[in-house]
């Protein structure tokens, strides 16, 4: 039986394990999907050694960038993003070959594109991790100018304290790529002047648990269009399966 899985820490409940095991069962695929919660990225070596049937892995926090030095090859898209969330595993004799891909950018771009209006020219990206980098590439491919918002000072980024009502008049798309507001901390939201948001704004949250984050609710209160990350997850899962099946 082939195996696929997810590496990250901590994992808790993941969307991928349910999605793929249901897919395998429904489509009669002789495979199993497993969560591998690893405290250090170097633990990947042990997982590969003890699971020779592994054909592919998804990668989640905090390893989307840390895994790159352990790979043998990386797709041009993942290289330009600087983050990997899919690994294809092939065995060549006794050698294991790992190739990294990024399906986040595919899932995000396809998911947000139908919501964009002609007046959506600029976007704020909350967070600077691997998912944020994929979102940045996706938005730029759609012709949108981007700016990261981070907690610590970086010359080219905004701090949260820099986000004023004036800034929000200019940046009408806001994408949350942080875990702020994720279950069980549903009462939290990124620190923004939500009173400056109106019906021209689009607030997209990569989180999907809860269905409506406080970030989304605050946007809706002021007339914004909002969307969570569930469709993105589905689309990137389809893309991950395609990567694993590549010859």
């Amino acid at each position: 039986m082939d195996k696929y899985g997810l590496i990250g820490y901590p994992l808790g409940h993941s969307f991928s394990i349910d999605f793929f095991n249901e897919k395998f069962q429904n489509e009669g695929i002789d495979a199993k999907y497993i969560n591998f919660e690893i405290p250090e990225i170097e633990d990947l070596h042990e997982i590969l050694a003890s699971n020779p049937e592994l054909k592919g892995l998804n990668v989640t926090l905090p390893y989307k960038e840390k895994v790159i030095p352990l790979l043998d090859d990386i797709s041009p898209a993942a290289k330009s993003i600087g983050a990997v969330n899919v690994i294809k595993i092939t065995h060549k004799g006794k050698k294991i070959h790992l190739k990294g891909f990024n399906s986040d950018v595919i899932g995000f771009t396809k998911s947000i594109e139908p919501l964009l209006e002609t007046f959506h020219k600029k976007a704020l990206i909350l967070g600077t991790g691997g998912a944020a980098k994929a979102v940045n590439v996706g938005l730029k491919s759609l012709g949108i100018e981007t700016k990261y918002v981070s907690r610590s000072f970086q010359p080219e980024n905004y701090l949260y304290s820099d986000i004023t009502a004036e800034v929000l008049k200019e940046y009408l798309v806001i994408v949350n790529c942080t875990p702020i507001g994720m279950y069980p901390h549903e009462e939290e939201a990124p620190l923004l002047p939500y009173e400056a948001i109106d019906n021209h704004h689009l607030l997209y949250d990569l989180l999907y648990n809860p269905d409506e984050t406080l970030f989304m609710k605050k946007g809706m209160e002021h007339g914004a269009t909002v969307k969570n990350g569930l469709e993105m997850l589905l689309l990137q899962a389809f893309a991950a399966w395609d990567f694993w099946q590549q010859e």
Side-chain angles (χ1 to χ4, degrees):
M1 178 187 285
D2 289 343
K3 286 183 185 175
Y4 298 87
L6 173 69
I7 58 168
Y9 189 84
L11 284 181
H13 178 77
S14 83
F15 165 86
S16 299
I17 193 167
D18 291 340
F19 172 84
F20 282 109
N21 282 325
E22 195 173 309
K23 175 185 175 67
F24 298 153
Q25 188 176 350
N26 291 343
E27 298 181 22
I29 298 168
D30 188 25
K32 185 179 182 182
Y33 193 98
I34 303 162
N35 280 352
F36 297 102
E37 189 172 75
I38 54 174
E40 305 288 339
I41 189 57
E42 288 74 22
D43 296 337
L44 175 60
H45 298 300
E46 188 183 330
I47 286 169
L48 294 168
S50 54
N51 294 276
E53 313 90 346
L54 264 178
K55 302 290 189 222
L57 288 167
N58 289 121
V59 184
T60 190
L61 295 170
Y63 300 134
K64 290 185 180 186
E65 295 155 296
K66 291 178 183 174
V67 77
I68 291 174
L70 305 185
L71 303 176
D72 301 295
D73 195 8
I74 184 170
S75 73
K79 198 170 202 171
S80 71
I81 294 162
V84 161
N85 74 322
V86 180
I87 301 171
K88 178 177 170 61
I89 303 164
T90 49
H91 293 262
K92 298 176 179 178
K94 290 186 178 179
K95 277 195 166 185
I96 298 173
H97 186 271
L98 305 178
K99 182 169 183 180
F101 299 87
N102 192 297
S103 66
D104 279 340
V105 69
I106 298 167
F108 172 73
T109 308
K110 286 183 177 177
S111 178
I112 198 170
E113 189 172 17
L115 302 177
L116 295 172
E117 304 285 354
T118 52
F119 49 78
H120 289 142
K121 307 286 190 191
K122 294 185 176 184
L124 294 175
I125 300 172
L126 311 183
T128 57
K133 289 177 177 177
V135 163
N136 183 48
V137 170
L139 288 170
K140 285 184 170 175
S141 76
L142 295 169
I144 292 178
E145 194 180 314
T146 60
K147 188 93 168 175
Y148 287 112
V149 183
S150 54
R151 286 178 299 176
S152 53
F153 176 75
Q154 293 174 40
E156 67 280 9
N157 298 351
Y158 279 136
L159 289 168
Y160 282 91
S161 55
D162 296 326
I163 310 303
T164 61
E166 286 302 308
V167 170
L168 289 189
K169 280 182 187 172
E170 192 180 346
Y171 290 84
L172 299 179
V173 179
I174 309 171
V175 184
N176 180 34
C177 304
T178 77
I180 299 170
M182 184 168 67
Y183 175 84
H185 303 290
E186 304 101 314
E187 73 289 349
E188 297 176 11
L191 292 171
L192 299 170
Y194 290 96
E195 66 281 0
I197 285 170
D198 62 25
N199 61 355
H200 293 92
H201 284 85
L202 167 59
L203 272 59
Y204 190 110
D205 202 328
L206 264 59
L207 301 178
Y208 64 96
N209 185 12
D211 291 339
E212 283 183 4
T213 59
L214 187 56
F215 168 72
M216 292 166 63
K217 285 177 181 172
K218 284 174 172 280
M220 283 190 289
E221 283 170 11
H222 295 279
T225 299
V226 302
K227 186 162 187 171
N228 71 15
L230 186 58
E231 186 188 42
M232 173 183 167
L233 270 177
L234 279 167
L235 291 167
Q236 64 98 341
F238 298 154
W241 182 251
D242 288 343
F243 288 139
W244 291 332
Q245 300 313 302
Q246 281 182 10
E247 290 302 321

